[in-house]
Structure formats: structure tokens, C-alpha cells
Amino acid sequence: MRSWKEVYQRWHSFEQLDEQVQLELRKINDTSLLEDAFYKELTFGTGGIRGVLGPGTNRMNVYTVRKVVEGLANYLPYHRVNVKDRGVVIAYDSRYMSKEFALEAARVLSVHGIKAYVFESLRPTPLLSFAVRYLGAACGIMITASHNPPEYNGLKVYNEDGGQITPTESDQIVAAINEIEDELTVPFLNDEELAESGLLHWIGKEIDNAYLERINYISRMDPAKRMQDKDLQIVFTPLHGTSYDLVTSALEQMRFLNVHVVTEQAIPDPDFSTVESPNPEEHQAFALAEELGDKVDADILLGTDPDADRLGVAVKNGYGEFQVLTGNQLGSLLLDYILRHSNPNVYKNAKMIKTVVTTELGRAIADSYHVETLETLTGFKYIGEKIHQFDASGETFIFGFEESYGYLVSGFVRDKDAIQAAIITAEMAYYWKQRGKTLFDALHDLYETHGFYLEGMSSLTLKGKEGAKQISFIMSEIRNMELTNVAGFKMKAVEDYLTSEKLNLEDNSKAPIDLPKENMVKLMLDEKAWVCLRPSGTEPKLKTYYGVCGKNRKDSEEKLAKLKEAMANIMDKIMTVKA
């Protein structure tokens, strides 16, 4: 195995090194930064690569992109039919180097004679998913780093079903990537050669129009009422990303005409200059939307992340202040609204899908309508995979969601879709407004009916080579600890998704977990409480998820706080041992 210094020297001495990469490489004088840039290759996890822009094998640049696409091009002929004719769809968001990386992907594919469909301008991730299915393409590539900071970019691969690639597909693509010895010498066509090849096809508005046509069918309103003008004041922000055109067009065609856009955030901006983070999960992202909402007396605020696969929503609480709903809360509201307006004859065959770290309130709501809940591992790719299985089984997908602000209403897209979610949220808010209630009121009704479920999440960031070792050590220690209780909650079971085994602590019996293997552990506690630990596949983080269900909001908040404190103490003890 080559040392990082050898890899760095290979790049440094490469005569044909891209001028921009070469310039950036010369600027790095810090040895630790050089080591971090070259000590490993970007991990292909969660369906692709993601990292900080810059020179190096552990960075996002033209060479890391070319290597991944070369591996993908070598993989496709053995796992898809008519690859060259069907081609690959490529979309990109508003980040630095996004369009350049999209064209780099097309240049590499063209060497293999594979047609590349590239959007003329930036587009949301869900539209890429839709485009793959609409065009019958062999796969799709999305250039995005979702809601990560401005210095990041990434590349995600979508399969021919329009979903994020499955673990099996990922392993096969990784194997093909690993066969490429030198990322610096991956063949590609230059601009002139690419134009002459006839393999580059630019996509205009055709896909947008087809997508908007399908949006009409997700409505739960009577067709006549759907075409009536609706008295709902909406503030919308795309947070400098890709969703402006599709969200505003979809709202207009559903006759939501009182839409006030946050103009400062309507223009794509790779620096995301008006927010600390372009993440609708974080309340600061709604600051400008709240200001505008107060001016126009808005009923709801809608905010999408840069690639428009996540939606955040804020509504007025009992004090007349805007409150950002959690992903679990909005998902539960949407599920109830959809089931409330679905034909009961559908329930018997219908399936609601959530992840193992998503609120149990969703299951309680689905149970009340006699709809079965299916659980998947964390990540919407698993929800998309389940929907694909329904195509063969005849089961009906009725809704899918995850706690990290991802929702899917209809399977014509096979990934989380903030545009679908924005439209159905507006419709839901209008429905409750007609009945004298806000979404906050409707949420309170759900708690009163099903229980005061409350969730939380904390993350431990440990960067670099040593950080990865520390995260691995913590997970190993958690697996080996013989806990009897956490924060006073009795331990009932331990679900280890790496061994695919559930240990019932009451009788020491074991049961298999019928899900793909993943480095994740879930502690099942009494009183409907739970804790789940999961290292991120794309970031140097260890995420800890929590869930409780109390007698009322105060009781739930107290239980959640105790659970978080107890896990923080356990983490501190483990880190002390490591030190």
C-alpha cells in the first residue's frame, strides 16, 4: 500500500495535471492538510462520493469524478441491457464545479460510446430520478452535496429504476472503481471531441413539463376544488438552490396563487450567502422566510435544501410565532392527511414505509387506519428499493418518510422529493385552514390521539484518520457493553444491524433482522423509548438518534433530555478509555 506522500508525489509530478488543480495543490503548505487530502480515496458510500473540493484522492475534483464514472462505465454493460443506446442522465445543482463535474462525467462516458443526457441548467435531485424513468435510461448521475457546507460537492449514482443504488449495486460499482489503478490517466474526450461524437444530448424543459403533469395526480382534493383559487398565504424559499421553477410552477397549477418568494434566496448561489447552512432542518435557514412571513401574515413557510430532496416547513404555534416542524412531525401530518383522504379499500394492500430511526408516531397513525408499516435501514435508497419490489408484488405504496426531512408521496419518483412534499403540504394546510385549524393544531390533535412521541438526534464529529478510528472504537464498545438500563429506562433488546441479529434481553433469545447489514446498533428500551447509533456514510460523524413517548409534552421533553444526558455520559466514558 502506497503512503500518502507517494500518492501526493505522483500528483505533484504529473505533467498533464489540470491547471486549476495544480494551482490549488501548490497553495497547500500545511503537511497535515496534505496528508488528509492524500491518505485515502473518497469513500463511495450512500450511493456515491461526497467531500471537500480540492486536489487529492480524498477530495472532490475532476480526477476523483472521472475515476468513479470510469468504474460506472465499466460496470454498466455487465448489469444493464442496451446501455449505449439507453444512455445515462446527468443533472447538477448550484454548487461550485457542479456543471463542470457533470460534463466531466459525460466526457468519460463518451469514451465508452455511452450516450449522456445532460440538463441545460441546474435541476433538483427528484427530477433526475424522474428523468431516468421517463427516458428509460440505464442509470443516472446527480452532482450535488445536498445541504452540506459550500466547500463540499458530491456525485450520486441512481439505478435504472430511478432510485439510489442498492448496497449490492454499490459493492459491484466499488469493485469496478477499485480496478482502476490511476485516476490521473482515466481517458476522456475533450470538448471538441465530445461535440463531434454525437453522444452528448442536452435536456431542456421536456422533463420539467412531464414531471409537472404528474404532480397533478398526487392531490387528494376533488378535481373541481383543485382548480379553484385557494386562500392560503405561502412563503417559499429555495435556499439558493434548484427548486424555484418547479415549486412555484407546481403551486400555481394547483391554484395556490398567494406565494411570496424570499427574493434574496431565490437566486442560485454556491456560497449560500444568506444562511449559516442551507439546511431546512436548521431553524436559522428560515430567518428571512420568517421576516417575510410576518409581513404577509403567512399561513406556512416552505423551504427546500439546495438539491430539493428535503423540505422544511414552519407554521404558527399557539403564541403566534413561526415554529419549524421536525421531519418526524411533518411526516406524521402528511401521513395522516394522505390516509384520511384515501379510499379505505386501498388500506388492506397499502404499505407505509419509514426508517428504523423515524418516529413511531408514524406507525401508530398507520395502525389506526389498518395500514401496515414497513421499516428500512436509514437512507431513502431503501425506501425506493421497497417501492420497486411493490411493482412485482402488487402491493401499494402509500407514503414514505424519514426523520431527516425526506418524504415521498407518489412513486413516479424513487427518491425523497421536496417538490411533491411542498405541494401536498400546501394542500394539507389549506384543508385544515378551511376547518379553522393550523398545522400546529392538527399536530397537537395527533399527539392527543396517539401519544406524545418526541425524537432527537445528536452527532459527534471526529475528522480525519484518527476520527474514523475513534468512531469505530465507540461502536465496538457499545456492542460489548452489558447495559441493563439507560437513564432509568430498562433495556429490553439490542438490535445489531451489522450482525443482522436482535437480542431479546428478557429471555436471551435471538432473532434475525431481515435487512441489509449496516454498522448500526439500536437499543430498545421500555416505555416506548429507544436509542440508535449510526456512523455517517458520507461525513466524519457518529449520529445518535433518540425516541420517547410520554404522558404529555413536558413529560416527553424530560425523558428525552435524560436519555440524551445518559448517552453523552456513556460516550464520554468510552472516549476516556480510548484516550
Side-chain angles (χ1 to χ4, degrees), residues 437-448:
K437 293 185 177 182
T438 66
L439 290 186
F440 192 80
D441 297 328
L443 178 64
H444 182 76
D445 290 346
L446 289 180
Y447 285 141
E448 289 286 353

Side-chain angles (χ1 to χ4, degrees), residues 415-482:
D415 198 5
K416 50 189 176 290
D417 188 344
I419 303 154
Q420 285 191 28
I423 302 313
I424 208 71
T425 296
E427 182 175 299
M428 174 175 65
Y430 178 70
Y431 169 83
W432 286 116
K433 184 178 182 180
Q434 294 294 100
R435 285 150 185 80
K437 293 185 177 182
T438 66
L439 290 186
F440 192 80
D441 297 328
L443 178 64
H444 182 76
D445 290 346
L446 289 180
Y447 285 141
E448 289 286 353
T449 302
H450 302 289
F452 282 81
Y453 290 85
L454 190 62
E455 298 75 33
M457 194 271 283
S458 59
S459 62
L460 179 64
T461 301
L462 298 167
K463 294 183 178 182
K465 192 175 182 179
E466 284 304 310
K469 289 181 180 179
Q470 287 178 304
I471 289 173
S472 179
F473 179 76
I474 292 170
M475 291 300 293
S476 176
E477 288 295 296
I478 289 291
R479 286 185 166 92
N480 294 324
M481 292 181 77
E482 296 182 358

Side-chain angles (χ1 to χ4, degrees), residues 81-147:
V81 298
N82 302 325
V83 172
K84 292 183 178 181
D85 290 335
R86 294 168 66 194
V88 175
V89 186
I90 306 171
Y92 54 92
D93 68 5
S94 57
R95 290 178 175 273
Y96 286 113
M97 296 296 292
S98 281
K99 187 170 185 178
E100 289 86 347
F101 289 161
L103 286 172
E104 287 297 335
R107 292 182 180 112
V108 174
L109 291 170
S110 297
V111 171
H112 295 263
I114 299 174
K115 194 182 302 180
Y117 295 95
V118 183
F119 281 94
E120 290 179 338
S121 57
L122 53 82
R123 291 295 194 283
T125 290
L127 195 70
L128 181 277
S129 172
F130 176 76
V132 171
R133 296 172 59 78
Y134 182 82
L135 294 171
C139 76
I141 293 173
M142 183 71 202
I143 307 297
T144 180
S146 189
H147 54 274

Side-chain angles (χ1 to χ4, degrees), residues 357-369:
V357 297
T358 300
T359 180
E360 285 297 300
L361 177 56
R363 188 192 305 275
I365 293 168
D367 286 348
S368 72
Y369 288 94

Side-chain angles (χ1 to χ4, degrees), residues 121-124 127 205 208 211-212 236 238 241-253 261 266 268 304 419 423:
S121 57
L122 53 82
R123 291 295 194 283
L127 195 70
K205 292 287 188 179
D208 304 49
Y211 175 91
L212 288 170
F236 166 60
T242 60
S243 69
Y244 175 83
D245 288 341
L246 284 177
V247 170
T248 54
S249 295
L251 286 171
E252 183 178 1
Q253 75 180 20
V261 178
T304 57
I419 303 154
I423 302 313

